[in-house]
Amino acid sequence: MNPKFEVIKAVLMKSYDGLPYYLKSCFLYLSIFPEDLNVSRRRLVCRWIAEGYSWDKSIADKYFIELIERSMILPTQQSILSRQVFDSCQLHDLIRDISIAKSMEENLVFRLEEGCNSNTRGTVRHLSISSNWEGDERELENTVELSRIRSLTVFGNWRPFYISEKMRFLRVLDLESTEGLADHHLEHIGKHIHLRYLSLRRCEGVFYLPNSVGDLRQLETLDIKFTRIFMLPETITKLSKLCFLHAGNVFCDQEEWPAPPCCISAPIRFSWSRGGCSPYMWYKKHGARPFSLKVPRGIGKLKNLQALGCLDLERGNAVIEEIKALTSLRKLRVSFGIRTENVPEFCSAISCLRRLESLTLESWGENLYDYLNGMSSPPENLQSLKLSGYVEKLPEWIKGHQNLMKLKLQRTNLSSNCEIMQVLGNLPNLSILLLEDEAIQIEGTITFQSDLFRNLRVLELYYLSMEIVSLKFEETSMPKLELLRLELINCTAGLAGLQLLPSIKEMRLSIGVYPDGSITEELAQKVTNCRTKKTKEDIREQFANNKNKPILKVE
């Protein structure tokens, strides 16, 4: 209501008017999302592609960056650990007002929320149902022309009438983080044959996909990450246009395991035995595991698949042979089934994936070194490597890898000697290094020597159950480091040389002491506060002598 803001809005409106035509629709599309929501680049880019705003992910990524460079969207800080620089965004309130007004003016987006005008039947393309809307099915049908809807986005609680058979041309169905969504609500999903984007991310009430999902022949993105889906139906192999399959499950107790196909209509929670059928034993027999995804035979038919997450290699060579055929893969994560006996076949399969840019290997017993060293010719385009599990030593080929930009080591137990640090420090394009949860063995002080890590911009160190962590930065080490994140659990830290980091902008510190049999919760909190205060004082004293004047954030 302040007239001073009218001048600002006028200036911002000129910024909108100055956008090229291909960015205007992308910008107005953001009015779908609630105020202050962090919208991930992944979510936005895949939706833009599904809507036809872009035909290629790399181009859609450029649109995202261009909107940031034009200050039309704001990058959020938690995206700094990504190779893509910005992983999520928000709209400033004033910019959002413009986005909402222009999208409604052009009948592009309608936000169904408390207090909205529901008296006029609109012909909008994109429908967003807010968490505070409490209308019924009749009100929904009287408010918007359902047959014109191209995208449906639901926030908050799910109600079955949200998906209507009248939505015959629905391209995008985004139910991310929707509460109350259950398996039977998706039973007829295959009727929406024009769907290109389907997201069930963080819908913990979903345990399986119906066979009708195979009728979605236009589907390009399927996001089932952080659901409880452990197995894909065989019909998934019919989705020849599928490009992105995001998966990776939440953990559930044995009593909550999904019903196998023989009792598919069973409720989510059931007793250990239902007519002689134990779901847990059935899934164990078929090789399904928490956090991993069991794929059916024929997955190799999906020639356009670019991202495949949390793959289970329990079937051994059969599924590995399928991987060989996925020559368009750019991102692959293998979570279970890594065995010594299938090392040669797996290495051969990886060598066939010439476009692979990101590889994640997770093991719970086997030595990952065998897998890594067996790759005599690793993918040349590999930019991100994440290892979780014991690694005897780093493979020889990693020393000369020119394109590796991001490296994450977790539970690898590598020695922290000078040789390891020399190998990591000499990777020419390494910009992000994450060492987490006993990634390296602590042997006194970890010293980051001079003239190493020349292009490193982000360093994250996370240690678990170690009494003392000593870190020393020598002069001219990490000359481009901008972010240092240190997370200390049940340990203390000694830091030296922070004043020598010439490009450091920010440090994030998290200290925690957890109660156990020898310490109470109250005492643990006191120790946490004491250690946090002492470490903060030490860091601020060193930063006071740093010419870059970095900031310290305590998480």
Side-chain angles (χ1 to χ4, degrees):
M1 301 298 292
N2 190 326
K4 293 181 180 180
F5 285 109
E6 293 302 320
V7 177
I8 298 176
K9 284 186 177 181
V11 173
L12 295 177
M13 186 61 73
K14 288 188 177 295
S15 296
Y16 167 76
D17 292 336
L19 290 176
Y21 74 93
Y22 58 86
L23 285 184
K24 283 186 176 179
S25 295
C26 293
F27 169 71
L28 296 182
Y29 199 75
L30 282 158
S31 64
I32 289 173
F33 301 98
E35 186 178 6
D36 298 328
L37 179 72
N38 278 337
V39 184
S40 70
R41 177 184 52 83
R42 160 199 50 78
R43 186 180 190 180
L44 204 51
V45 162
C46 288
R47 289 188 55 154
W48 283 344
I49 294 173
E51 300 288 2
Y53 298 162
S54 170
W55 300 105
D56 181 79
K57 184 176 181 298
S58 60
I59 295 175
D61 279 327
K62 290 179 181 178
Y63 291 174
F64 184 85
I65 296 300
E66 190 170 349
L67 284 173
I68 289 177
E69 291 174 344
R70 290 174 176 265
S71 299
M72 299 302 289
I73 60 177
L74 303 174
T76 48
Q77 292 181 339
Q78 53 264 46
S79 63
I80 199 165
L81 296 179
S82 168
R83 292 181 296 117
Q84 298 289 343
V85 182
F86 303 119
D87 256 1
S88 57
C89 70
Q90 284 184 346
L91 281 181
H92 187 280
D93 290 347
L94 290 176
I95 294 286
R96 184 169 181 269
D97 288 343
I98 292 174
S99 178
I100 292 173
K102 295 296 292 186
S103 64
M104 291 184 67
E105 180 182 314
E106 299 183 15
N107 291 327
L108 187 68
V109 177
F110 185 80
R111 296 162 52 249
L112 202 55
E113 58 187 348
E114 183 182 10
C116 68
N117 184 3
S118 58
N119 297 323
T120 305
R121 191 174 177 85
T123 56
V124 294
R125 295 184 59 187
H126 308 299
L127 177 61
S128 173
I129 303 180
S130 301
S131 58
N132 60 7
W133 186 71
E134 298 179 353
D136 55 19
E137 183 173 4
R138 183 177 180 180
E139 184 177 346
L140 173 64
E141 293 186 352
N142 289 335
T143 303
V144 293
E145 178 62 55
L146 298 182
S147 63
R148 302 291 186 93
I149 297 298
R150 296 297 185 270
S151 77
L152 172 63
T153 310
V154 178
F155 302 96
N157 294 320
W158 168 259
R159 286 189 280 179
F161 66 84
Y162 284 166
I163 295 183
S164 170
E165 293 184 3
K166 296 178 182 179
M167 298 177 180
R168 295 186 297 273
F169 299 103
L170 196 65
R171 289 185 176 187
V172 170
L173 179 57
D174 192 341
L175 307 180
E176 181 170 328
S177 301
T178 301
E179 298 179 6
L181 185 69
D183 299 320
H184 63 275
H185 296 141
L186 302 170
E187 185 177 352
H188 303 295
I189 192 67
K191 292 184 179 181
H192 299 280
I193 58 175
H194 296 285
L195 268 185
R196 297 182 180 180
Y197 178 98
L198 174 60
S199 176
L200 308 174
R201 178 176 283 236
R202 293 191 178 89
C203 294
E204 296 187 21
V206 178
F207 287 80
Y208 57 81
L209 291 174
N211 287 328
S212 67
V213 75
D215 295 329
L216 304 177
R217 303 299 177 88
Q218 303 300 316
L219 198 66
E220 298 169 348
T221 299
L222 176 59
D223 193 339
I224 54 175
K225 198 165 187 177
F226 306 124
T227 65
R228 303 196 185 194
I229 297 174
F230 299 92
M231 304 181 69
L232 292 177
E234 293 183 3
T235 55
I236 202 79
T237 60
K238 298 179 181 179
L239 307 183
S240 59
K241 293 187 178 182
L242 192 64
C243 295
F244 307 102
L245 177 53
H246 302 294
N249 320 101
V250 297
F251 179 78
C252 63
D253 297 330
Q254 292 176 357
E255 293 180 358
E256 294 179 316
W257 278 58
C262 59
C263 47
I264 201 166
S265 61
I268 292 176
R269 288 184 178 270
F270 43 78
S271 62
W272 270 95
S273 179
R274 180 184 294 274
C277 176
S278 167
Y280 171 69
M281 294 306 295
W282 189 91
Y283 274 84
K284 183 176 181 181
K285 175 182 177 181
H286 287 78
R289 301 171 184 268
F291 307 111
S292 67
L293 183 69
K294 182 176 172 60
V295 296
R297 293 182 184 276
I299 197 72
K301 297 177 183 179
L302 306 183
K303 302 296 184 182
N304 290 312
L305 201 60
Q306 297 181 30
L308 177 58
C310 284
L311 188 63
D312 193 329
L313 298 183
E314 187 65 26
R315 288 196 289 114
N317 293 348
V319 69
I320 292 175
E321 284 298 316
E322 301 272 9
I323 294 176
K324 278 186 178 181
L326 302 176
T327 52
S328 295
L329 269 186
R330 298 177 183 272
K331 186 173 183 178
L332 174 64
R333 178 180 175 185
V334 178
S335 297
F336 281 97
I338 293 178
R339 299 287 185 269
T340 303
E341 54 269 22
N342 58 25
V343 167
E345 291 77 12
F346 180 79
C347 292
S348 175
I350 294 299
S351 298
C352 295
L353 307 179
R354 297 298 182 185
R355 299 183 182 181
L356 197 67
E357 298 176 357
S358 175
L359 176 62
T360 300
L361 299 179
E362 299 175 351
S363 172
W364 299 90
E366 299 292 330
N367 185 356
L368 286 175
Y369 173 75
D370 295 333
Y371 274 73
L372 297 168
N373 201 47
M375 298 179 198
S376 56
S377 56
E380 293 182 2
N381 294 321
L382 192 66
Q383 299 176 26
S384 174
L385 178 62
K386 303 174 186 178
L387 306 176
S388 181
Y390 176 67
V391 180
E392 180 183 343
K393 58 181 179 179
L394 293 175
E396 288 297 316
W397 58 260
I398 204 172
K399 296 181 180 179
H401 205 294
Q402 297 295 312
N403 295 320
L404 199 62
M405 298 172 62
K406 180 177 181 178
L407 179 62
K408 178 179 179 179
L409 303 176
Q410 184 181 44
R411 299 186 295 106
T412 50
N413 274 290
L414 286 165
S415 172
S416 62
N417 56 34
C418 293
E419 182 182 354
I420 294 294
M421 288 302 166
Q422 287 282 344
V423 171
L424 298 181
N426 282 312
L427 291 173
N429 290 301
L430 188 67
S431 59
I432 300 173
L433 177 60
L434 313 178
L435 303 177
E436 300 184 0
D437 195 3
E438 300 178 0
I440 57 177
Q441 300 173 16
I442 304 298
E443 300 172 359
T445 300
I446 300 178
T447 301
F448 296 102
Q449 297 178 340
S450 301
D451 300 320
L452 296 180
F453 300 101
R454 303 297 299 173
N455 285 302
L456 197 70
R457 297 182 183 274
V458 177
L459 175 63
E460 180 181 280
L461 303 170
Y462 171 82
Y463 295 99
L464 181 66
S465 300
M466 295 181 181
E467 294 183 0
I468 300 177
V469 177
S470 297
L471 303 174
K472 181 180 180 181
F473 297 89
E474 292 187 348
E475 192 169 4
T476 71
S477 70
M478 303 187 183
K480 296 183 180 180
L481 188 70
E482 297 178 5
L483 171 66
L484 173 61
R485 184 178 181 188
L486 185 61
E487 189 166 350
L488 305 172
I489 306 298
N490 294 345
C491 63
T492 57
L495 299 167
L498 296 178
Q499 71 276 13
L500 302 175
L501 299 173
S503 301
I504 189 75
K505 296 179 180 178
E506 180 181 330
M507 180 172 179
R508 300 180 188 174
L509 175 68
S510 177
I511 295 179
V513 177
Y514 296 146
D516 54 26
S518 60
I519 185 173
T520 64
E521 184 174 347
E522 182 180 359
L523 182 57
Q525 185 60 51
K526 289 182 178 179
V527 174
T528 297
N529 295 339
C530 182
R531 289 181 178 178
T532 301
K533 181 180 179 181
K534 182 177 180 181
T535 307
K536 281 169 55 179
E537 291 174 352
D538 183 23
I539 294 172
R540 284 173 174 162
E541 183 178 344
Q542 295 184 55
F543 276 173
N545 297 318
N546 188 302
K547 296 180 180 179
N548 214 36
K549 302 302 179 184
I551 61 174
L552 172 63
K553 292 185 177 180
V554 179
E555 301 176 337

